[in-house]
Structures are given as C-alpha cells and as structure tokens.
Amino acid sequence: MANYMSFYVDNLCCVRGNTVILSNVSFEMAAGDCLILRGPNGIGKSTLLNTLAGLTPEDTGTCTINKGDIAYSGHLDAIKFQLTVAENLQFWAGVYGTDKVASVMQDFGLTELADRPAGNLSAGQKRRVGLARLLVSNRNIWLMDEPTTSLDAEHTALLTKMIDEHCQSGGIAVLSTHIDLDIQNARTLDLSQFKPDQSQSNDIFLEGSF
Amino acid sequence: MLALFLRDLKLAIRTSGGFGLALAFFLIVVMFVPFGVGSDLTLLARIAPGILWIGALLACLLSLDRIFQLDAEDGTLNVLATSPIPLSGVTVAKSMAHWVTTGLPLTIAAIPLGYLLNLPSVAYSWLCISLLIGTPALSFIGAFGAAITVGIKRGGLLLSLLVLPLYIPTLIFGAVTVTKAVEGLDPMPSLMFLAGLTLLSVVIMPFASALALKSNLS
Amino acid sequence: MSLWEYANPVKFMGLSSRLIPTLSVLTVLCLVIGILWGFFGTPDDYKQGSTVKIIFLHVPSALMAINAWLMMLVASLVWLIRRHHVSALAAKAAAPIGITMTLIALGTGAIWGKPMWGTYWAWDPRLTSFMILFVFYLGYMALWSAIEDSDTAADLTSILCMIGSVFALLSRYAVNFWNQGLHQGASLSLDKEQHVDDTYFYPLILCMAGFILLFVLLVLVRTRTEIRLRRATALAARNR
C-alpha cells in the first residue's frame, strides 16, 4: 500500500470533560507501523484512541489521520444480541460496503458459530466477533481499545497474528493493552510522559479572579 | 444506510415488545376514551379524529428512546460514527425504520379503532392519508429527541417533555384534516400544511440529530 | 476592542459589576414611575373601566416572554458558532426569567379575561401560544438540569433552542389555523393607525422599558451566578 495513508500526531491535547488529561502528544505512523499505548488506568489511553477516531474533539494540536481509513474497536463489542454472528458481520460489511464476511469468519474460527445468536456467546467469543469487524471493514488504520480483554491464550495469539499480517500488508494499528503482545515491529508509547502538570487546565472559568 | 435500515427492521421484529407494544398501547388508549367520556356514539364520532391522532402520537412516543439508546449502550453508535455513513444518514435510516415499525402499523390499526369510535365513514380515507403523511414527521422529530437524550440515564420522561411540544403542529394539522372531513369541509389545506411539516422535518431533523449525537459521543 | 471580549468570564464579571448599579436604578425608576402613572395617572376606559390598567403588567410581560426566548436563541447560536461559554450560560440564565414572564402574562391575562370575556381561560390562539411557549421553556430548562457535563449541556440545549424556535413558530401558525380567537389585536403597532390611546401609550412605553431593563438586569445577575457556579465546579474538579 502506498505511503499516503501514513499520518502524524503533533502536540495533540486530549480532554475529558473540561480537564486536559494528555498534553503535547506527538508521534508519527508510517504504513506498516504498529503502536502500543501503555500507561496506568485512567492515564487516557481510551481518550487518545477516541480522539484519533474523531469521537472526542481534540483540544489543540494536529492529527492528520484520514477518518475514512479508520476502523475503530472500543471497549464495547458493538454486536447485537438478537442477530446471529453471521448477521452481525454481514451488517457491518453492508455498512462498510465490503464482502469479506465468509473469509473473515474462516480466519477467526467463527464459522461454526455463524448461526448462533450473538447473545448466547461467551465474552471471549463476543470479543472475537467484535475484532472480526475490523477485518470485515477492510480499512487500513485499526484503532483498538484493549482488544485482548476476555480472549484466551490461543485467540490472543490469533489476534497477534492478525495484527502482524495487517501491518505487513501495509496497514497501521494503534492499540492499548496491558499484556505483552508479540507483534513484530511494534513500538511502545508510554502515555505517562504526556500527563500534564496538575495545575494545567483549559477551563476558561479558572482564569483570572472575580 | 440500507444495511442499517434493514438491520433495524430485523431487530424490531426479533425483539419482543418492539412494535406490538405500540399497537397494544394505541388500542388501550382508544378503549379508555369511552370509559372516560361515556359511550354516546354521537359524542364519540365528534371526538374520534382527535382521539385517534393523540393515541397514535402517544403510541409513537413509546418506542422513541430505543432509536439510539440501544446502539449507544452496546458501542454500535461509536462504531457507526467512525463508519462511512454520516451521522445524519444514520438518523435517516433509523427514523425510517422507526416509521415502518411504528407509524405504518399505527396507520393501519387506526381503521378498526376508528370504527370502535364511530368515526363517520367519509373520514376513513382522510384519517389514513393524514396519518400516512403525518407519522413520518413524528418519527423524524422523535429521533431528534432521542438523539438529544441518548446520553442521559433513564431519559425517557425527559424525552417526552422535549418531544411532545415539538409534536404540536403535527397534531393540529393532522387532527384538523380529519375533523374537517367529518364536518364536510375541505380537508386539503390542513393536509397540505401537514405534508409541508413532514417535508420540513425530514429535511432539517437529521442534521439537528447528527449535531446532537456528535455532542453526545464525546 | 470587540464585543467578543466580553465573552471572557473575567471581562464579563468586571463589566457586569459596573453595569448592575446603574441598571438597577434605571429599572426601578422606569417601573415605579410607569406603574404608578399607569395605575393612578390614567383615566378609566369607557368600556373596560379600571380593569384596563392591568395592561401595564400584561403587555410588557408578554413582550419579554417572547423576547427572552429570542435572546436565548441568539445566545445559543453564538455558543454553537463561536463557542463562547458566557453566551451559553446567559441563555441558561434567561430561561427561568422567560418562563416567569410567560406565567405573569398568562396570569394577568386570566385576571383581565374574567371581567372582559367572562372566563379566565379560553382556547384562544394567543393564549394557547403562550401555553405552548411555557412548555417549550419547561423542556429547555429540564434538559439543562438533566446533563452533567456543562459543554454537552450547552450544545444540546442550544440545538434544542434552535429547533424549538422553528417549531414554536410553526405552532403559533398552526394554532391560528386551528381556532379563531377572542383576543384583541396588537396593543401597539408601528404600521397600524389604530392602537391604544396616547394617555395609555406613554406609561405603557415606560413600563415596557422597565420590563426590558428588569430582564437585562436579571439576566446579568443570574449569568454572574452561573459563572461563579461554573468556577466553583471547575475548582472542585481540579482539586479532586
């Protein structure tokens, strides 16, 4: 894939409510890169991913990510319990205008679950359906918030392989995780370094005195 | 957008208590009127247009909070917001699905319920046409209310408080259309206003809803 | 020097604290003179007797009931377009004042209506429109109080105010279409020959000016309260 899908983040400030929780985040991503976000709970990993995905507006700074390249996977699986596994993926294929459902289900070991209502699945199985959506969407930049949650060792390995293949074919992945994933070429970004000073706030109502 | 529309239809059919609930509610409201005002058939015939319109409107209100709430709870809304469908498109698909599963069945159910209220026979066609033209406005305005309240826990009551005032013009033009038909006057002017109102809602509400959704996502 | 500078809370607090004393004096002067003049300095109407004098409360409150909503609409648009926090808070501050004005207009109307029309309430288009305006205010205020995050609340109430304005206007015309009314025509009008007599006109103008000043004064005071509240919340959040 061509280079045009690389992006950079420069001096980005992320806000939750009215508080700046990450300031001056800068990094660059080229085709084939994988970035693993690290840091303690509440540091802002999800907020950064949401900001990259355009769900949370950025406060200041630049992010040149092309929203049309993003596939986003949050901490919720975004699957409908009343629909079967196949129908869930079919729906997302329809939304993204792709037709990769069958092959993705094959890759993800979901074929035997295809006709099960998603409500009957275990937490790990649901997560796999949620992750399969990333492949179905056929997008280049994956933003994943804690993708390993509820996955067993076997499927964590499968996830690692999936991210590897995605990056090797020129895709980009940004993910947050607490366990070590054995992904080739993966860089780690510790978000603790971007934690602003306690005094820093962007709230205009804290300025001056009255 | 078609995929989203079809999925919402499928979900409405599979989820128990989807649109059957609205119909049952409509029936009960209409049934309560004779209990409240007496079974005098001439009186019922006179108030039937208003009762049928109010009943349909309230029944429509019941299912509004589902439009976005369920998708917000399981994370689907966040993914949809990053998908190729713009949020206004999401609203259009969902409003249409809401109309097909609520407004359309209510329109059909209004015929037998009109009979129960002794609605004069000249008015049936006008009742159906006015509901058919007017209920899409109810769905699109309702989706806006649902988009505003999507982030609020147990926002159902607030949703009613926000949406019902917005329903006033639709109710007036809809009910006046049928009343005029009952009285033997020309129902066309109010029907035209009703159609205009629906067109306006269809045009502006998706954008207003998209704005509200965007603000609620962050 | 631009008007937008006063969208900064500190600047706004400074300006408003300087304005409030003058405004208070003007408001009291206008209202006291206007109402005393109206109540005691004008003759009884040959048809309506002394009941006509409620006009000095009824018309100005009705005027402000509508204009408060208009002010909220403008402030909401300023928030949506330019994201000035004070603007959003001013809209929030105006709503309870607007709804009170609506209630005063409805109440004085009812008191006036009883001797004139023989009823406190009729489903007259104007009365009904004010009732509708009342529920729009209710919804707007309920939405403000339901949302915790202040920026989201400002966004959503502004959008609601925008859409609400369109539908309130539509309701007004729908209600006219639905029922012809009892209400007399406009009391004041620039293009019509016929309006209230000069003896009523001048005190009425004074009362209207008084109500406008009262509204501005109350909005300023309430906006200051809202700003302080926001600061207190922000401080609490920072120190948590």
Side-chain angles (χ1 to χ4, degrees), chain C residues 104-232:
Chain C
I104 294 174
L106 283 171
T108 52
I111 295 168
W112 197 1
K114 183 64 181 169
M116 290 302 107
W117 305 335
T119 173
Y120 288 114
W121 180 261
W123 288 96
D124 162 90
R126 282 217 192 177
L127 273 65
T128 313
S129 304
F130 269 79
M131 185 77 109
I132 293 171
L133 186 61
F134 181 72
V135 291
F136 273 97
Y137 274 120
L138 277 184
Y140 178 85
M141 284 162 62
L143 187 60
W144 261 112
S145 59
I147 306 166
E148 276 177 31
D149 183 79
S150 48
D151 280 7
T152 312
D155 278 346
L156 295 178
T157 51
S158 299
I159 300 166
L160 180 71
C161 187
M162 215 164 59
I163 294 298
S165 304
V166 174
F167 277 81
L169 205 64
L170 285 172
S171 303
R172 173 91 181 92
Y173 287 104
V175 164
N176 268 341
F177 183 83
W178 158 81
N179 201 351
Q180 306 304 321
L182 296 166
H183 204 286
Q184 65 199 63
S187 304
L188 295 180
S189 148
L190 294 174
D191 54 340
K192 278 194 207 129
E193 284 287 308
Q194 194 191 7
H195 52 62
V196 293
D197 190 75
D198 276 358
T199 45
Y200 297 112
F201 181 75
Y202 294 112
L204 184 56
I205 288 291
L206 211 53
C207 282
M208 285 162 81
F211 266 74
I212 294 170
L213 287 169
L214 179 68
F215 173 73
V216 174
L217 178 67
L218 289 176
V219 169
L220 284 182
V221 171
R222 285 187 52 84
T223 308
R224 287 169 62 84
T225 316
E226 293 292 344
I227 289 175
R228 290 217 163 93
L229 185 66
R230 269 295 293 277
R231 190 181 176 94

Side-chain angles (χ1 to χ4, degrees), chain A residues 76 78-80 82 87 139, chain B residues 7 14 71 73-74 82 84:
Chain A
L76 294 166
I79 55 177
K80 287 289 168 198
Q82 294 90 348
E87 282 170 331
R139 292 244 169 139
Chain B
R7 188 209 63 160
R14 289 207 193 155
D71 276 351
E73 277 166 9
D74 64 15
T82 59

Side-chain angles (χ1 to χ4, degrees), chain A residues 22-27 35-41 43 45 48 187-195:
Chain A
L22 292 171
S23 62
N24 301 325
V25 181
S26 302
F27 59 85
L35 187 70
I36 298 175
L37 306 176
R38 291 289 182 136
N41 288 128
I43 189 74
K45 297 187 291 290
L48 177 58
R187 282 184 290 150
T188 305
L189 188 69
D190 189 355
L191 293 185
S192 309
Q193 57 182 307
F194 303 118
K195 195 177 158 77

Side-chain angles (χ1 to χ4, degrees), chain B:
Chain B
M1 268 170 68
L2 185 65
L4 183 58
F5 172 72
L6 292 176
R7 188 209 63 160
D8 267 23
L9 286 190
K10 210 184 270 179
L11 284 174
I13 293 163
R14 289 207 193 155
T15 316
S16 54
F19 61 111
L21 210 66
L23 289 179
F25 183 81
F26 192 21
L27 170 69
I28 289 170
V29 168
V30 168
M31 190 174 80
F32 271 21
V33 174
F35 296 162
V37 304
S39 56
D40 176 11
L41 285 181
T42 41
L43 175 65
L44 286 179
R46 214 154 59 83
I47 60 173
I51 299 301
L52 290 167
W53 253 95
I54 293 174
L57 190 145
L58 292 178
C60 190
L61 199 66
L62 279 185
S63 47
L64 286 182
D65 58 343
R66 291 163 165 262
I67 296 183
F68 293 114
Q69 196 76 51
L70 298 177
D71 276 351
E73 277 166 9
D74 64 15
T76 306
L77 199 57
N78 274 347
V79 179
L80 280 175
T82 59
S83 78
I85 310 178
L87 281 173
S88 47
V90 169
T91 314
V92 170
K94 285 183 156 287
S95 307
M96 303 246 285
H98 181 262
W99 180 72
V100 171
T101 55
T102 312
L104 200 57
L106 287 174
T107 305
I108 296 163
I111 300 171
L113 294 180
Y115 192 77
L116 290 182
L117 292 178
N118 193 29
L119 187 75
S121 53
V122 287
Y124 283 94
S125 52
W126 291 103
L127 175 70
C128 280
I129 292 171
S130 71
L131 281 172
L132 204 61
I133 291 181
T135 44
L138 300 183
S139 292
F140 275 84
I141 298 170
F144 167 70
I148 290 250
T149 52
V150 72
I152 301 168
K153 298 264 176 297
R154 285 182 292 279
L157 199 61
L158 180 68
L159 175 64
S160 318
L161 185 61
L162 299 185
V163 164
L164 283 176
L166 300 178
Y167 277 177
I168 292 170
T170 315
L171 172 64
I172 289 177
F173 289 126
V176 166
T177 305
V178 190
T179 313
K180 287 263 161 87
V182 170
E183 290 169 351
L185 300 168
D186 183 12
M188 271 319 269
S190 45
L191 191 68
M192 286 293 123
F193 276 120
L194 185 66
L197 203 61
T198 299
L199 289 177
L200 179 80
S201 308
V202 170
V203 172
I204 66 171
M205 283 314 185
F207 295 104
S209 309
L211 216 57
L213 284 177
K214 198 153 175 46
S215 170
N216 262 324
L217 284 175
S218 53

